[in-house]
């Protein structure tokens, strides 16, 4: 049965939306990022509502399968969704966004791992962002690229964290058994956590028959699932960015959520929540995807998101990132000398870590769907035509994929 708390929040949501609309002409939109963007200010209000629900009540919004969400885009985007095997099942847990025609076993397969706190299903905006990344690839690369979406089991239905890792492992092994060798893991938030922990799984398995993913694309990865109490105090991103972000520090530390996700089991584990362990560079230094020449990893994190400090700390140890969060506010201006770290990639893995000015949690995936509309209306639109200041996250993901695929 739905809780009284959620019923109260449902009745309060229209009031919150109305307040955003009424305040906009006089004070602007939500936070700094959406000060001049009413549409995304309203969307942020709705997302905050969804993420504020208890784990148990999340079942009322996590109703659709990934396949239903993907196919739900067809009426609005008939041109973009006209792809080979679009929305077709690969198996009971995986759905093709696109399977390259006449693909070879060495052509890249992007395995997409959706975010949602391990309790929410794939949403429309996440699928739109995948279409953006795909259509912004150079034509020859696009023709060879496939995108497969994993519809993993959710914690709101009783599937504890760890279940999803084994589902990904089973899917990966099946793809490998069919002769496929070229994989890219792309994940946001909880999906980013799943990608990172899967690399630790491969390390522990030490199975030479399983190839390492050539690349990872991590958007606001959830590197530390349970924050420490001190992180909710001034001077830390969990505290300082709560007024901007969609996430809540108190929800993150909720004992109810923790029990529903882990069932009382230890979560300080490299296969569950690496950030809840003391970091040791040796835990990451022998993972080829993060270290070896010919491999690559991209990370984007928002200047104004709660996870910022955790992600930057993880990237320091796992990726040897030298990115330091500046003390001064970016004023919304991207300066690559301050907000991006790139390795040379000459004798090591190519690493690209981006701090998005005024960015909040998974901004590129939830709040840049205007790009999808442009791509639907303008078949000839390329990455060069895109406003890369306005759509920084989308552009950076596409630039990276064009570089490494």
């Amino acid at each position: 049965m739905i809780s009284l708390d959620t019923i109260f929040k449902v009745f309060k949501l229209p009031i919150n939306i109305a307040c955003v609309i009424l305040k906009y002409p006089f004070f602007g939109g939500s936070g700094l990022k959406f000060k001049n963007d009413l549409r995304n200010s309203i969307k942020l209000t709705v997302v905050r509502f969804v993420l504020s629900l208890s784990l148990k009540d999340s079942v009322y919004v996590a109703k659709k399968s990934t396949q239903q969400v993907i196919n739900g885009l067809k009426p609005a985007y008939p041109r973009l969704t006209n792809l080979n095997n679009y929305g077709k099942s690969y198996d009971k847990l995986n759905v093709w966004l696109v399977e390259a025609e006449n693909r070879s076993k060495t052509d890249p397969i992007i395995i997409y791992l959706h975010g949602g706190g391990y309790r929410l299903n794939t949403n429309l905006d996440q699928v739109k962002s995948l279409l953006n990344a795909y259509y912004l690839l150079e034509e020859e690369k696009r023709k060879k690229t496939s995108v497969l979406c994993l519809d993993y089991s959710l914690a709101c239905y009783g599937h504890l964290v760890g279940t999803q890792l084994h589902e990904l492992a089973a899917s990966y092994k099946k793809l490998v058994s069919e002769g496929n060798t070229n994989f890219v893991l792309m994940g946001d938030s909880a999906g980013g956590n799943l990608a990172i922990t899967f690399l630790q799984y491969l390390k522990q398995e030490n199975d030479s028959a399983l190839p390492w993913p050539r690349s990872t694309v991590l958007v606001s990865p959830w590197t530390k699932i349970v924050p420490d109490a001190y992180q909710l105090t001034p001077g830390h991103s969990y505290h300082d960015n709560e007024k901007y972000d969609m996430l809540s520090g108190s929800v993150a530390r909720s004992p109810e959520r923790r029990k529903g996700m882990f069932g009382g089991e230890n979560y300080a584990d490299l296969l569950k929540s690496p950030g809840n362990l003391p970091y040791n560079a040796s835990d990451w230094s022998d993972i080829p995807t993060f270290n070896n020449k010919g491999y690559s990893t991209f990370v984007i994190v928002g200047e104004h998101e709660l996870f910022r400090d955790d992600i930057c700390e993880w990237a320091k140890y796992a990726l040897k990132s030298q990115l330091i969060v500046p003390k001064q506010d970016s004023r919304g201006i991207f300066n690559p000398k301050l907000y991006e770290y790139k390795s040379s990639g000459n004798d090591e893995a190519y690493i690209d870590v981006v701090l998005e000015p005024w960015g909040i949690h998974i901004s590129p995936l939830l709040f840049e769907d205007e790009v999808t509309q442009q791509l639907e209306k303008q078949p000839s639109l390329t990455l060069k035509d895109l406003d890369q200041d306005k759509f920084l996250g989308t552009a950076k993901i596409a630039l990276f994929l064009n570089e490494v695929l």
Side-chain angles (χ1 to χ4, degrees):
M1 181 179 294
I2 191 169
S3 69
L4 291 175
D5 180 64
T6 293
I7 292 173
F8 173 74
K9 289 175 179 177
V10 169
F11 280 106
K12 190 178 177 184
L13 178 60
I15 299 172
N16 290 340
I17 293 174
C19 288
V20 170
I21 295 171
L22 292 172
K23 288 168 59 179
Y24 184 76
F26 307 100
F27 305 104
S30 300
L32 295 174
K33 186 171 181 63
F34 303 132
K35 185 176 183 180
N36 300 309
D37 189 336
L38 177 59
R39 178 173 174 270
N40 276 329
S41 294
I42 294 172
K43 182 186 286 188
L44 177 59
T45 302
V46 175
V47 174
R48 281 173 171 165
F49 156 74
V50 172
L51 293 177
S52 73
L53 301 181
S54 69
L55 189 143
K56 289 183 179 179
D57 284 353
S58 295
V59 298
Y60 297 105
V61 293
K63 291 292 188 180
K64 291 186 177 182
S65 69
T66 294
Q67 187 170 38
Q68 289 174 316
V69 174
I70 288 175
N71 286 319
L73 281 178
K74 286 182 177 180
Y77 300 95
R79 191 187 74 82
L80 295 184
T81 57
N82 185 24
L83 296 168
N84 186 55
N85 285 340
Y86 180 89
K88 298 293 179 66
S89 296
Y90 166 69
D91 59 18
K92 65 178 182 179
L93 282 179
N94 293 276
V95 183
W96 291 110
L97 185 81
V98 56
E99 183 178 18
E101 296 184 27
N102 302 313
R103 68 177 180 87
S104 73
K105 301 301 184 182
T106 58
D107 287 340
I109 299 175
I110 297 174
I111 302 175
Y112 174 63
L113 312 169
H114 71 85
Y118 284 122
R119 61 191 174 99
L120 299 172
N121 57 288
T122 309
N123 66 54
L124 287 171
D125 288 315
Q126 290 167 320
V127 179
K128 291 177 189 177
S129 72
L130 291 178
L131 289 171
N132 295 344
Y134 177 76
Y135 277 100
L136 291 173
L137 290 174
E138 297 166 7
E139 185 176 2
E140 289 305 311
K141 294 179 185 290
R142 188 167 66 245
K143 287 179 180 179
K144 295 182 178 181
T145 299
S146 302
V147 182
L148 187 66
C149 303
L150 173 65
D151 193 8
Y152 56 74
S153 301
L154 300 176
C156 63
Y157 290 102
H159 303 285
L160 300 179
V161 173
T163 304
Q164 303 80 8
L165 177 61
H166 293 290
E167 290 174 337
L168 172 57
S171 300
Y172 197 84
K173 289 176 180 178
K174 181 179 177 180
L175 288 163
V176 171
S177 72
E178 295 170 348
N180 300 292
T181 61
N182 188 352
F183 301 101
V184 176
L185 298 182
M186 180 175 178
D188 60 285
S189 194
N193 170 277
L194 186 52
I196 290 168
T197 55
F198 180 67
L199 295 179
Q200 287 289 344
Y201 169 85
L202 288 178
K203 174 182 173 179
Q204 293 185 22
E205 286 289 289
N206 193 27
D207 185 348
S208 59
L210 294 177
W212 289 91
R214 299 279 181 89
S215 302
T216 51
V217 176
L218 307 172
V219 181
S220 301
W222 202 6
T223 57
K224 184 177 183 178
I225 292 181
V226 182
D228 295 313
Y230 77 86
Q231 293 182 264
L232 276 63
T233 61
H236 302 278
S237 60
Y238 259 94
H239 175 276
D240 298 350
N241 288 340
E242 187 155 5
K243 59 182 178 287
Y244 303 119
D245 206 0
M246 65 184 70
L247 302 172
S248 162
S250 59
V251 171
R253 281 189 56 80
S254 161
E256 178 266 343
R257 190 199 68 153
R258 193 182 313 172
K259 182 178 180 180
M261 293 182 69
F262 301 105
E265 296 179 3
N266 179 35
Y267 53 82
D269 188 319
L270 289 171
L271 299 182
K272 293 180 180 177
S273 179
N276 284 109
L277 289 169
Y279 278 118
N280 191 331
S282 63
D283 288 330
W284 310 93
S285 59
D286 52 357
I287 293 177
T289 311
F290 293 158
N291 295 278
N292 293 8
K293 184 177 181 179
Y295 294 86
S296 54
T297 288
F298 172 84
V299 180
I300 186 166
V301 52
E303 179 185 12
H304 285 169
E305 75 165 288
L306 264 67
F307 293 171
R308 184 197 65 199
D309 294 350
D310 287 342
I311 295 168
C312 289
E313 183 181 18
W314 171 81
K316 175 183 175 182
Y317 288 94
L319 306 177
K320 305 181 185 71
S321 169
Q322 299 175 24
L323 182 68
I324 299 174
V325 178
K327 293 182 179 180
Q328 292 184 330
D329 187 89
S330 68
R331 297 182 296 172
I333 301 170
F334 179 67
N335 179 347
K337 293 182 179 179
L338 295 176
Y339 299 103
E340 185 168 24
Y341 165 77
K342 285 186 179 183
S343 68
S344 67
N346 293 332
D347 299 307
E348 58 190 351
Y350 172 58
I351 304 297
D352 187 0
V353 182
V354 174
L355 181 66
E356 180 190 3
W358 287 358
I360 60 175
H361 189 60
I362 63 171
S363 293
L365 273 64
L366 293 188
F367 301 104
E368 297 187 6
D369 61 326
E370 188 180 332
V371 176
T372 324
Q373 299 170 24
Q374 293 180 17
L375 287 166
E376 177 69 24
K377 294 176 182 178
Q378 304 173 50
S380 60
L381 186 75
T382 67
L383 184 54
K384 292 180 181 179
D385 304 318
L386 194 68
D387 184 340
Q388 297 190 21
D389 292 323
K390 184 176 182 180
F391 306 114
L392 177 70
T394 297
K396 284 292 185 181
I397 292 169
L399 284 166
F400 175 81
L401 290 173
N402 276 306
E403 178 77 20
V404 304
L405 288 178

